[in-house]
């Protein structure tokens, strides 16, 4: 799709990008710890250059719908998840324990873990009050006057009744009931720790809405030192980061990470081929094949599953999308298999795409690929029976013609949305759909306000299956942009969140997934294994499903040159 645009236009524009990128890399110096493949010792120094495609506005870690881009690098986390194993690991909190009745969680803050040196924190230690404020902000307890949709990740921690700092290094978290998922929710990579009362310090609750080196604080491996939205961001090595490498020095190995904005993927490919970008997400087979044909030494790293779960959300507060027959008719004519083959294809004789279920296949609780393949939603090509059923549902709803807007972000998501429009129009040619690709921050803002007809978007995994389903499908879910309000769905998900028995919880989650496919407030449309192309000297990449691992673990990356 759009190969001519992708390949030739960039070369006309690339001189602009190359000028921006010039002189990015420093000379690596002393060796550090053993690389993950065990063959070489990491070297220190250098600047990793990559590109961004959309505005980073709306990045407040508690209230921002767009918090996934920057905090990967500069975030300081309560606990973290290892990307290649999904196991929980200590970070700012070095240990924790539950009370015997499961109603209290005690978090012990790592001593000597210091904020960067700028006011108002001025290099002080991370304290229990910071973590309590962070937890209360994420759940909305800090701002009870705001609606649940302002807190997109509250479902991860909604079992929390309160969080209190009992001394400088101890937080007591009181739970509403025993929870099997709360601890995992603390590892959400879009919810880093923020200093106590930092929003209020800068004026009001919305003071962290947009990135700023003066207002965004880190005790992590990198700190934000320069930022101009849609132009450039620089994350510089934080020399006082707590984690040490085997050479006794603090990680990270890199001096900095630099992101420059290149909205057009073809222009980014030109920059990568010219050696001016160090890493590049490979969005489709065309991109990958073009790069490998011209730069054969490129390293291709595949990790599955990609943390981005594509889905089409119907705004149920607008007609005719309040009618389940209309939503079901549209969902039946979408072809996720065609979408997967067209946009991602195969790699080393195996398909990169997967059947996209109500719960992404990364979760062991998800409906299996074999189960999904038997459902008419995932049939490919569509049989006459399925097409006739879709037409019958639309006729029963009284729809003979219709016009609406399909809002999306840009890049591959825009391509996927255009393909969805094509699939719908094959069966319903009288339905006029206007594609509306928008900057990511803008479309997320409109989704939160309910200012859309249909939204085609990529939704990043939550830490647990319960949190993922609650966030998307519970009436109080922070990413329930469809405005679904179904008592049965809420009951199933609430029970799953409280159920400590794994088998019983899994059964509730299976019932919840079936309910999703009955109501189709959001129809999953695509899921795939992601690929990253790197220059041959880039080492230490740790990638894994369910996280933006290559961002969070930039502290492990080093240059072999």
């Amino acid at each position: 799709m759009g190969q001519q645009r992708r390949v030739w236009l960039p070369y006309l524009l690339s001189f602009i990008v190359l000028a921006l990128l010039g002189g990015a890399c420093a000379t690596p110096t002393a060796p550090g710890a053993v690389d993950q493949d065990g063959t070489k010792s990491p070297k220190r120094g250098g600047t990793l250059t990559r590109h961004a495609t959309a505005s980073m506005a709306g990045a407040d870690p508690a209230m921002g719908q767009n918090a996934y881009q920057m905090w990967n690098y500069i975030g300081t986390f309560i606990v973290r998840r290892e990307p290649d194993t999904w196991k929980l690991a200590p970070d700012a909190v070095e240990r924790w324990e539950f009370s015997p009745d499961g109603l209290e969680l005690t978090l012990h803050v790592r001593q000597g873990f210091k904020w960067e040196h700028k006011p108002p924190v001025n290099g002080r230690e991370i304290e229990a009050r910071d973590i309590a404020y962070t937890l209360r902000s994420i759940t909305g307890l800090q701002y009870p006057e705001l609606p649940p949709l302002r807190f997109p990740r509250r479902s991860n921690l909604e079992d929390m009744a309160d969080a209190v700092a009992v001394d400088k290094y101890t937080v007591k978290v009181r739970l509403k009931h025993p929870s099997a998922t709360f601890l995992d929710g603390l590892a959400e990579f879009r919810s880093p720790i923020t200093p106590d009362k930092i929003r209020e310090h800068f004026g009001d609750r919305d003071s962290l809405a947009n990135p700023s080196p003066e207002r965004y604080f880190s005790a992590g491996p990198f700190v934000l030192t320069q930022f101009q939205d849609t132009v450039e961001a620089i994350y510089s090595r934080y020399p006082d980061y707590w984690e040490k490498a085997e050479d006794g020095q603090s990680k990270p190995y890199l001096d900095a990470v630099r992101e420059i904005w290149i909205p057009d993927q073809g222009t980014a490919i030109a920059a990568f081929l010219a050696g001016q970008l160090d890493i590049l997400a490979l969005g489709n087979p065309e991109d990958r094949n073009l790069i490998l044909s011209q730069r054969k030494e490129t390293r291709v790293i595949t990790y599955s599953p990609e943390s981005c779960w594509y889905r089409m959300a119907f705004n149920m507060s607008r007609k005719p999308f309040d009618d389940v027959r209309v939503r079901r008719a549209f969902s039946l004519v979408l072809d996720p298999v065609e979408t997967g083959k067209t946009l991602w294809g195969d790699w080393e004789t195996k398909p990169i795409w997967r059947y996209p279920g109500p719960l992404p296949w990364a979760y062991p609780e998800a409906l299996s690929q074999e189960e999904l393949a038997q459902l008419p939603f995932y049939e490919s090509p569509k049989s006459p029976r399925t097409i006739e059923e879709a037409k019958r549902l639309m006729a029963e709803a009284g729809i003979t013609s219709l016009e609406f807007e399909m809002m999306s972000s840009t890049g591959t998501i825009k391509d996927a949305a255009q393909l969805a429009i094509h699939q719908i129009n094959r069966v319903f040619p009288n339905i006029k759909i206007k594609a509306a690709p928008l900057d990511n921050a803008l479309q997320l803002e409109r989704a939160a306000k309910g200012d859309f007809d249909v939204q085609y978007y990529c939704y990043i995994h939550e830490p647990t299956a319960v949190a993922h389903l609650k966030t998307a499908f519970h009436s109080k879910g922070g990413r329930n942009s469809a405005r679904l309000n179904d008592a049965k769905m809420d009951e199933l998900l609430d029970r799953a969140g409280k159920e400590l028995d794994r088998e019983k919880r899994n059964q509730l989650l299976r019932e919840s997934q079936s309910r999703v496919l009955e109501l189709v407030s959001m129809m999953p449309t695509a899921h795939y294994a992601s690929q990253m192309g790197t220059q041959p000297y880039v080492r230490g990449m740790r990638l894994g499903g369910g996280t933006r691992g290559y961002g969070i673990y930039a502290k492990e990356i080093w240059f072999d040159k």
Side-chain angles (χ1 to χ4, degrees), residues 457-474:
Y457 186 54
C458 156
Y459 171 33
I460 295 172
H461 301 168
E462 303 297 338
T464 67
V466 171
H468 189 94
L469 287 170
K470 275 195 166 187
T471 301
F473 302 110
H474 196 283

Side-chain angles (χ1 to χ4, degrees), residues 39 75 84 103 107 120 123 131 157-158 174 191 244 273 276 327 345 449 463 466 471 513 552:
T39 60
D84 39 7
L103 295 177
L107 304 175
I131 292 175
L157 305 174
E158 67 177 358
R174 182 165 54 86
S191 300
K244 305 293 184 183
L273 291 173
Q276 300 297 329
R327 302 194 303 271
K449 294 178 179 178
V466 171
T471 301
Q513 292 172 79
I552 297 173

